[in-house]
Amino acid sequence: MPETLSLHSPGEELTDLIRRVSVARRVVVVTGAGISVNCGIPDFRSSTGLFQQIRAAHGDLVTSGRDLFDASVVFRSAETADVFYHWMTHLRRQCAGAQPGAVHRFIRQLADRGTLLRSYTQNIDGLERKAGLSVWDPYSAKGDAEHVPWQTAQSVPLHGTMEHLSCQLCSSSYHFSEQPNKSAIRAGDECPDCQTRSQVREACGRRSLATGKLRPTVVLYEEPHPHCEDIAKIISHDARALGTRRSKQPQDVVLVFGTTLKVPGCRQLVRKLATASPETTLTVFVNNEPVCGKSWDGIVDYQVIGNVEDWCARVERKWGVQTKITQWAKTRKSGASVASASSSKAKPKAVVSEKENRPVAVAASNEASSNQPATKKRKSSNCSDSSTGVRGSEATVKRKRQRSSTPSTRPPVAEPLLPIRRSLRIATQQNHVYCHSPVSICL
């Protein structure tokens, strides 16, 4: 059984767990209906949830409120289908008037901090979009402003949303309007595309076609998921991303909020993410009541009993402390760098002029050559022979001066090239040209 902690009795272990979550490198969040209860949207299975409300209102029609969300029951008769459309319209209005809660804002902060890998939600209320997260919606066209590819989507609704209506016959999708006006398309209406095709055929003298009805784009019990392959691809991508971690610090974190994990698909999702890299991934389950039993040993590391919003508030406070410490460290570091820069500017630098480092013999030779009159150019062979003695004596003086004097500020020159370069300058001043020497050509 996973280790159980309580938010009402804090200790060092709970404090350390909050710290580890606050410094996580990547975070995956799996949420259920419990995070939207404080937003005014009822959950499904509690004593005041949607199942109990439906059973109290239509006990003569359904034995359980769950039957109204069972595809094998709800479309069995026109009466149960009309009740289903009525409750979906009522739920759509509740979702349209609700605002994101503390948990939705917490997930948005994870995205702003750059640590949110993905948010998976079982909810159909669409509050993640209102919180500012980019939501993957397979029913939105590529040209729509709301269309987000799954690679960049921050939130994935596992059971669909109430944003669209889909035809049960031709799969055409429309926006689900919450306004009760006559021109709005509502749940249970006939599909406009099916009606158009049927009218065209009748105008051509052919028989009419069947017309489908519009239903919300949510996944019901006992029906296949229309986009299960796409969602499986997204989950596999995120599991591989968690599995590529090799360093244990800081850890990747999987947070499970406000769900009882009774839906088989959600259980498989949590298991796959938690076991992608158990050594480097920390899995934390937060709920008002304990859910994880022995079957979750080795999968869920910690089970925290308490309000999910209180948990999020504690992590946010930890973020605030860490931010203040980081800002203080940056301020101190910048102040130290400014102080070191000012102290380095105050120290004068010793500069040795080129004239002071210049050899005396070369200077004397240059002064003598400047006083001599200009002569005709001699042949290159004679010039090279006559300059051999000057090269040797000049190189000896240069070596001695370099050993005794301070180093020059100019970049160092290779030792064998010093006499050649110096003699080239002297010979040039004496109107001599070294056209036959390959070293002189390279210089």
Side-chain angles (χ1 to χ4, degrees):
M1 185 174 179
E3 187 167 356
T4 303
L5 303 176
S6 177
L7 281 177
H8 303 291
S9 57
E12 294 183 0
E13 192 170 4
L14 180 62
T15 303
D16 181 67
L17 177 61
I18 293 175
R19 181 195 60 79
R20 292 165 65 185
V21 172
S22 65
V23 298
R25 180 174 177 267
R26 288 178 297 195
V27 180
V28 178
V29 185
V30 181
T31 58
I35 70 169
S36 298
V37 173
N38 291 341
C39 302
I41 300 175
D43 60 357
F44 289 92
R45 294 179 174 84
S46 65
S47 58
T48 58
L50 198 60
F51 289 168
Q52 294 297 329
Q53 296 179 20
I54 294 173
R55 183 180 178 182
H58 306 280
D60 56 338
L61 189 62
V62 292
T63 58
S64 172
R66 183 184 181 279
D67 294 342
L68 205 59
F69 294 88
D70 192 329
S72 62
V73 177
V74 68
F75 300 116
R76 186 179 299 173
S77 64
E79 188 177 4
T80 55
D82 290 340
V83 174
F84 169 74
Y85 296 139
H86 168 75
W87 278 95
M88 287 292 99
T89 303
H90 174 69
L91 187 60
R92 169 59 178 161
R93 293 172 184 172
Q94 285 184 320
C95 295
Q99 295 299 322
V103 182
H104 301 95
R105 292 190 293 270
F106 172 80
I107 300 174
R108 171 61 189 272
Q109 288 190 54
L110 287 173
D112 294 340
R113 293 170 62 89
T115 58
L116 180 66
L117 178 59
R118 198 88 65 184
S119 170
Y120 295 92
T121 180
Q122 301 177 78
N123 301 335
I124 60 177
D125 47 38
L127 293 181
E128 288 77 15
R129 190 189 302 274
K130 290 184 178 182
L133 298 175
S134 57
V135 180
W136 175 72
D137 188 357
Y139 292 97
S140 61
K142 291 186 177 180
D144 295 347
E146 297 180 352
H147 177 74
V148 179
W150 69 266
Q151 293 87 345
T152 58
Q154 297 169 333
S155 178
V156 175
L158 298 173
H159 300 156
T161 64
M162 301 283 288
E163 300 288 335
H164 297 89
L165 295 170
S166 177
C167 176
Q168 302 179 59
L169 190 61
C170 68
S171 300
S172 298
S173 61
Y174 301 89
H175 177 69
F176 191 179
S177 176
E178 68 277 3
Q179 301 296 334
N181 50 41
K182 294 182 179 181
S183 60
I185 299 178
R186 296 166 296 180
D189 291 350
E190 293 186 347
C191 175
D193 284 356
C194 292
Q195 288 180 337
T196 301
R197 284 192 293 268
S198 180
Q199 292 171 2
V200 169
R201 285 179 60 88
E202 290 178 355
C204 295
R206 305 175 68 179
R207 64 179 180 84
S208 62
L209 296 176
T211 302
K213 287 192 174 184
L214 301 178
R215 52 161 287 187
T217 55
V218 296
V219 182
L220 303 178
Y221 295 106
E222 306 300 332
E223 75 171 345
H225 199 300
H227 303 283
C228 59
E229 294 182 358
D230 297 330
I231 293 179
K233 180 170 59 177
I234 300 173
I235 296 173
S236 299
H237 172 272
D238 294 345
R240 286 194 301 270
L242 295 175
T244 56
R245 288 278 290 157
R246 293 294 178 266
S247 176
K248 295 184 179 180
Q249 296 295 335
Q251 289 180 306
D252 294 334
V253 175
V254 177
L255 296 175
V256 185
F257 291 153
T259 176
T260 56
L261 296 177
K262 290 185 177 180
V263 179
C266 186
R267 288 200 301 267
Q268 295 176 6
L269 166 64
V270 174
R271 288 179 182 274
K272 187 166 187 177
L273 294 174
T275 58
S277 180
E279 297 81 8
T280 61
T281 303
L282 178 68
T283 304
V284 181
F285 179 86
V286 185
N287 199 36
N288 283 327
E289 54 186 13
V291 174
C292 301
K294 293 183 179 180
S295 61
W296 291 96
D297 285 346
I299 300 174
V300 175
D301 298 306
Y302 290 94
Q303 181 176 215
V304 181
I305 308 302
N307 193 310
V308 181
E309 295 185 353
D310 294 342
W311 163 270
C312 295
R314 294 195 181 191
V315 177
E316 290 173 354
R317 285 197 296 268
K318 193 66 177 179
W319 283 341
V321 173
Q322 293 171 355
T323 303
K324 291 180 180 179
I325 294 175
T326 304
Q327 292 176 352
W328 174 81
K330 289 182 178 180
T331 304
R332 185 177 181 182
K333 185 177 181 180
S334 61
S337 60
V338 171
S340 61
S342 60
S343 62
S344 61
K345 289 181 180 179
K347 295 180 180 180
K349 294 183 179 180
V351 179
V352 180
S353 63
E354 182 181 356
K355 187 174 181 180
E356 295 176 356
N357 196 30
R358 189 176 180 182
V360 178
V362 178
S365 176
N366 290 343
E367 291 176 1
S369 64
S370 62
N371 296 330
Q372 292 179 0
T375 58
K376 294 182 179 181
K377 292 183 180 180
R378 292 182 293 179
K379 293 182 179 180
S380 60
S381 59
N382 298 335
C383 179
S384 62
D385 294 338
S386 62
S387 62
T388 305
V390 177
R391 289 184 185 180
S393 61
E394 182 182 353
T396 304
V397 174
K398 181 63 177 179
R399 292 191 189 96
K400 292 181 179 180
R401 289 293 181 182
Q402 283 183 344
R403 292 170 184 171
S404 60
S405 62
T406 55
S408 175
T409 56
R410 294 179 298 175
V413 183
E415 185 72 19
L417 299 181
L418 285 172
I420 300 174
R421 181 172 292 184
R422 188 66 67 186
S423 60
L424 176 61
R425 186 176 63 181
I426 298 171
T428 305
Q429 293 177 355
Q430 295 175 355
N431 297 326
H432 297 166
V433 179
Y434 294 98
C435 60
H436 73 284
S437 174
V439 179
S440 301
I441 293 173
C442 294
L443 291 173

